[in-house]
Amino acid sequence: MIRENVRDIINSLRARRDALGYAHEKLKQDSDSYNKVIIIVSLGAGMLESVKMRLQLNTAVFALAPILLNSGIAAISALIKFKSYPTRMEAITQASSLLNATLQKARNHANDEIIPEELMSDYNASLLACETAVYPSERKSFMVQSHKNLLIILKEEKKYYSAIDNANDDISISSDTVENVLDTT
C-alpha cells in the first residue's frame, strides 16, 4: 500500500509495532510454558530420587522413573533450543526498537503532507525489520489482531472526546454515559 503522508506512515508503524508486541508476547508465553513444565518435572524427579533413597526402593520401576523423567526434561530442553525462543524474541525486540524510533521521527515531523526522504528510508528499514522478525503466516494473524485493537482504541477515544465536548458545552452527562466511556471491555 502506498503511503501518501506522514499520518499514513504513523498508522502503519503503530500497527506493525503492536503486531510485533503480540508476537513477542506469544513467544514468551510459549517459552514460559515449556520452562514451567521443565521445573515441575525436575522437582518431581528430585522428589522421586529423595523418596527412593529414603525408603530404599530399588525395584525396576523406581530405578527407571528418574531416568525417564530426566530424559523428558532433556527432550523438552532440546525442543526449546530447536524453537530458538530467545533468538526470535531478541529479533522482535530489535525490530520493535527500530519501529519505535521511526515512529518517533514521524510524530516529530512538522509537515504531515510531505514525507521526507530520510523518513521514507527509515520507514522502509522498519518494514524490512518487521518482515524478517516474524514468519509471514504468524505476522498475518498478529497484524489482524493489531488492527482490531487499534480500531477499538480509536472508537473508545472518540467516545471519550465526545463526552469531554459535551461536558465543556454544559450538556448533562448521565452516569451511564460515564460508565460507557470508562468501560474497557
Side-chain angles (χ1 to χ4, degrees), residues 27-73:
L27 284 174
K28 183 159 177 21
Q29 286 173 349
D30 291 348
S31 175
D32 288 350
S33 295
Y34 283 118
N35 286 320
K36 286 175 186 174
V37 169
I38 288 174
I39 290 168
I40 290 169
V41 174
S42 294
L43 289 172
M47 184 181 76
L48 186 63
E49 277 293 328
S50 297
V51 168
K52 180 178 120 180
M53 287 174 43
R54 189 78 170 148
L55 299 178
Q56 297 178 356
L57 302 170
N58 295 323
T59 63
V61 171
F62 285 103
L64 287 176
I67 295 170
L68 293 174
L69 289 174
N70 288 322
S71 295
I73 292 169

Side-chain angles (χ1 to χ4, degrees), residues 91-132:
I92 290 171
T93 300
Q94 289 176 355
S96 293
S97 294
L98 185 57
L99 283 165
N100 281 329
T102 306
L103 182 58
Q104 183 172 356
K105 284 180 185 178
R107 286 179 173 159
N108 289 337
H109 188 65
N111 188 343
D112 189 37
E113 295 303 317
I114 300 171
I115 302 173
E117 195 172 309
E118 179 186 351
L119 179 58
M120 198 65 198
S121 175
D122 288 346
Y123 174 72
N124 288 332
S126 297
L127 291 181
L128 181 62
C130 180
E131 291 165 356
T132 57

Side-chain angles (χ1 to χ4, degrees), residues 55-178:
L55 299 178
Q56 297 178 356
L57 302 170
N58 295 323
T59 63
V61 171
F62 285 103
L64 287 176
I67 295 170
L68 293 174
L69 289 174
N70 288 322
S71 295
I73 292 169
I76 294 169
S77 297
L79 181 63
I80 289 172
K81 187 166 179 75
F82 175 74
K83 291 190 176 226
S84 64
Y85 287 117
T87 305
R88 291 171 59 197
M89 286 191 292
E90 180 62 28
I92 290 171
T93 300
Q94 289 176 355
S96 293
S97 294
L98 185 57
L99 283 165
N100 281 329
T102 306
L103 182 58
Q104 183 172 356
K105 284 180 185 178
R107 286 179 173 159
N108 289 337
H109 188 65
N111 188 343
D112 189 37
E113 295 303 317
I114 300 171
I115 302 173
E117 195 172 309
E118 179 186 351
L119 179 58
M120 198 65 198
S121 175
D122 288 346
Y123 174 72
N124 288 332
S126 297
L127 291 181
L128 181 62
C130 180
E131 291 165 356
T132 57
V134 181
Y135 298 126
S137 59
E138 293 174 338
R139 191 171 63 244
K140 175 187 170 188
S141 66
F142 294 128
M143 286 297 292
V144 168
Q145 189 177 4
S146 173
H147 288 150
K148 286 179 182 178
N149 187 52
L150 287 171
L151 289 172
I152 290 169
I153 289 170
L154 289 172
K155 179 182 172 188
E156 293 301 316
E157 279 183 356
K158 283 187 176 190
K159 284 180 8 182
Y160 171 73
Y161 287 118
S162 175
I164 287 176
D165 289 342
N166 288 343
N168 287 334
D169 294 338
D170 288 330
I171 297 174
S172 172
I173 300 175
S174 69
S175 61
D176 290 340
T177 303
V178 172

